[in-house]
Amino acid sequence: MSIRIPAERRRTVGLAIVLVAQLMLVLDATVVNVALPHIQEDLDFSAANLSWVLNAYTLAFGGLLLLGGRLGDVFGRRRVFEIGLALFTVSSLAGAFATDGAFLIVARALQGIGAALAAPSVLALLTTSAPDDRARNRALALFTAVSSAGASLGLIVGGILTDLGSWRLTLLINVPIGLAVLALTRRFLDETPRRAGRFDFLGAITVTGAAVGAVYALVTAPDHGWTSATTLGLLGGAAALLVIFVVAETRVEHPLLRLSLLKLPSRAGALAVIALLVGSQFSMFFLAILYVQRVLDFGPLQAGFAFLPLSLAIFASSRISAGLVSRFGAWPLLLAGTAGMVVSFLWISGIDTSTSYAAGMLGPMVLNGLSAGLAFMPTTVIVLSKVDPEHAGSASGLLQTMQQLGGAVGLAIIVSVYTSHGVAGQVVPGLSQGFTTSAIMCGVAVAIALVGTVAVSLRRRASVDDTTAVERAVEEPARV
């Protein structure tokens, strides 16, 4: 005899389950960062190939997210969530026992594929299962807090596991968590209705190929030269694949990306902003890690805890962002957050060999975390607003695609700029240019947020003027 679980408790536990899964997926994008020097030494990675430990995951994740969202719409989001999480868990176990670099990169790519299947269903389950808008906004605020703080928390967890055991634990830790989530999913989460449709595999192949080609071109540009035939050829090939993808999406019956989702200017702008913000954050999760370990001589555990203020600041501001959006609106809050991130990157760009952690990094990290927490939640609200329930999976996949591909391309640009200005055997040369590149990315996001804020203000003023005109028209005959 089965025990009936109260609906409210079931929703609460279901929310916790999907948020734990989301945290695990986000953590995995950065949990190995602190362990990179140990992975390089243990598996004999070259400096250039080491970045693929990160990008193999983010590219597979970002490139296939749209397909994952579509699969969830057609087969049911809970079912696809379970399949993706199972693949992610098994791949984590395989990666933990990797014997060479190629094996680890393949395992990381498979993790990314599993994450691409599971992640769109996480956000879709959150938004479609909420009983009202207030509950939906609370769920989105928690999702934003988990997603934003997860990346920096990954550095702390990675530092603890690497310092106390081995870099292999950064992958092995996913196994018990994944198994626990899978065991509880069917009990606390309802399946969504299936919808008829085919799959746009051509779209999945071309968009993923375009992302891989662009990132590879950017990462290797300092070696080949920015104007070399190799770099230009790779960028040209990536652009050609992107064009094929867009054309294909206009002709297939069931496109991977519904271009209609991009017709709303506010959604298109918010998607551009999220890509820029996530991409800019990788200077914190890559360059700053190099600095604290190789210049400040922090061990993995100490380096992980060095990012605790950033994590706490993100979580704190994410917790109040839902109320601030309700009071001030999404675009003004996004404008404030992006502007604060610009200042934080310019601030930290001044570090050098004589800078201490407290004097040169603590302040920028706290400001960056507070600003990021304010910026990420409103972008999620803008992207997912005015989306029909049957397209929730596609919209969620599009949002997370821009996050992952923005992170991969942003990391590639930052690493390329850093390498171009770097000096062999030294860490500090190139850091200033790398952090300044992040500030420029966020500066573009500020411009987009400013346009969005002004547009909303003008629409509200026009609405007030129209209302006033109608009231006057109604009152005028009474005066006569």
Side-chain angles (χ1 to χ4, degrees):
M1 181 177 178
S2 60
I3 300 175
R4 186 175 182 83
I5 302 172
E8 183 63 29
R9 182 186 172 192
R10 195 168 186 271
R11 277 197 301 267
T12 301
V13 176
L15 174 64
I17 289 171
V18 294
L19 287 176
V20 167
Q22 174 67 13
L23 178 61
M24 184 172 64
L25 299 178
V26 174
L27 281 175
D28 215 68
T30 58
V31 73
V32 300
N33 285 43
V34 174
L36 285 176
H38 299 266
I39 293 174
Q40 182 177 22
E41 181 179 349
D42 195 12
L43 300 183
D44 196 27
F45 270 103
S46 67
N49 290 335
L50 188 62
S51 65
W52 287 102
V53 175
L54 304 180
N55 273 337
Y57 179 79
T58 54
L59 286 173
F61 193 173
L64 297 175
L65 266 168
L66 292 175
L67 180 62
R70 179 63 180 158
L71 289 170
D73 288 340
V74 174
F75 287 123
R77 288 158 191 158
R78 190 186 68 183
R79 181 176 292 103
V80 174
F81 171 76
E82 289 175 315
I83 293 171
L85 192 58
L87 176 58
F88 178 88
T89 303
V90 172
S91 302
S92 298
L93 180 63
F97 292 97
T99 55
D100 57 53
F103 191 102
L104 178 59
I105 289 174
V106 170
R108 291 284 289 166
L110 290 173
Q111 279 185 297
I113 295 172
L117 295 176
S121 294
V122 168
L123 193 50
L125 287 168
L126 285 178
T127 56
T128 57
S129 62
D132 52 46
D133 287 343
R134 185 176 180 182
R136 177 176 174 270
N137 282 342
R138 282 201 306 267
L140 286 177
L142 288 171
F143 175 85
T144 303
V146 166
S147 300
S148 301
S152 48
L153 282 173
L155 300 175
I156 298 172
V157 174
I160 294 172
L161 295 174
T162 303
D163 202 51
L164 298 181
S166 165
W167 66 265
R168 298 181 186 275
L169 293 179
T170 63
L171 298 174
L172 199 59
I173 191 65
N174 293 326
V175 178
I177 300 174
L179 292 175
V181 171
L182 287 170
L184 296 172
T185 296
R186 296 209 166 207
R187 187 178 181 187
F188 292 98
L189 291 174
D190 294 323
E191 181 58 284
T192 57
R194 298 189 186 189
R195 292 183 171 86
R198 296 181 179 179
F199 305 108
D200 179 17
F201 290 107
L202 174 62
I205 292 171
T206 51
V207 73
T208 304
V212 172
V215 169
Y216 186 77
L218 292 169
V219 170
T220 59
D223 296 327
H224 296 141
W226 285 96
T227 58
S228 68
T230 300
T231 301
L232 295 178
L234 286 169
L235 291 174
L241 287 173
L242 190 59
V243 170
I244 294 172
F245 168 72
V246 173
V247 172
E249 299 311 278
T250 63
R251 298 185 178 182
V252 297
E253 184 179 359
H254 300 284
L256 189 66
L257 169 62
R258 294 184 176 276
L259 297 179
S260 60
L261 290 173
L262 300 176
K263 288 183 179 180
L264 191 65
S266 61
R267 182 177 297 120
L271 288 168
V273 168
I274 200 70
L276 290 163
L277 295 185
V278 174
S280 69
Q281 281 293 82
F282 268 87
S283 62
M284 285 291 187
F285 302 137
F286 191 83
L287 298 183
I289 280 292
L290 292 176
Y291 181 81
V292 297
Q293 289 199 72
R294 296 183 180 176
V295 177
L296 300 183
D297 200 28
F298 286 11
L301 181 60
Q302 192 178 6
F305 275 101
F307 285 83
L308 184 59
L310 176 63
S311 302
L312 294 176
I314 291 176
F315 187 80
S317 60
S318 295
R319 293 292 294 157
I320 64 171
S321 59
L324 293 175
V325 166
S326 299
R327 182 174 181 180
F328 298 106
W331 283 108
L333 192 63
L334 182 57
L335 179 60
T338 52
M341 291 179 72
V342 171
V343 175
S344 72
F345 287 124
L346 292 177
W347 187 356
I348 201 172
S349 68
I351 60 176
D352 56 32
T353 54
S354 62
T355 305
S356 67
Y357 171 79
M361 298 194 71
L362 183 57
M365 280 186 170
V366 172
L367 176 59
N368 184 272
L370 292 173
S371 302
L374 294 178
F376 282 112
M377 191 271 178
T379 56
T380 305
V381 171
I382 295 167
V383 171
L384 297 182
S385 64
K386 301 179 182 178
V387 176
D388 295 330
E390 62 267 25
H391 301 318
S394 297
S396 302
L398 179 58
L399 170 64
Q400 295 182 70
T401 292
M402 296 303 290
Q403 290 176 330
Q404 296 301 319
L405 294 185
V409 174
L411 174 62
I413 293 172
I414 291 165
V415 169
S416 185
V417 170
Y418 172 66
T419 306
S420 299
H421 293 84
V423 176
Q426 299 183 37
V427 174
V428 171
L431 283 181
S432 177
Q433 290 82 358
F435 285 120
T436 301
T437 301
S438 288
I440 293 172
M441 291 182 190
C442 286
V444 177
V446 168
I448 296 173
L450 180 60
V451 171
T453 302
V454 172
V456 169
S457 177
L458 291 176
R459 282 198 300 269
R460 286 178 178 172
R461 184 175 301 175
S463 177
V464 171
D465 291 343
D466 290 343
T467 301
T468 303
V470 170
E471 290 173 348
R472 287 175 179 172
V474 171
E475 294 172 357
E476 199 63 36
R479 294 176 183 174
V480 175

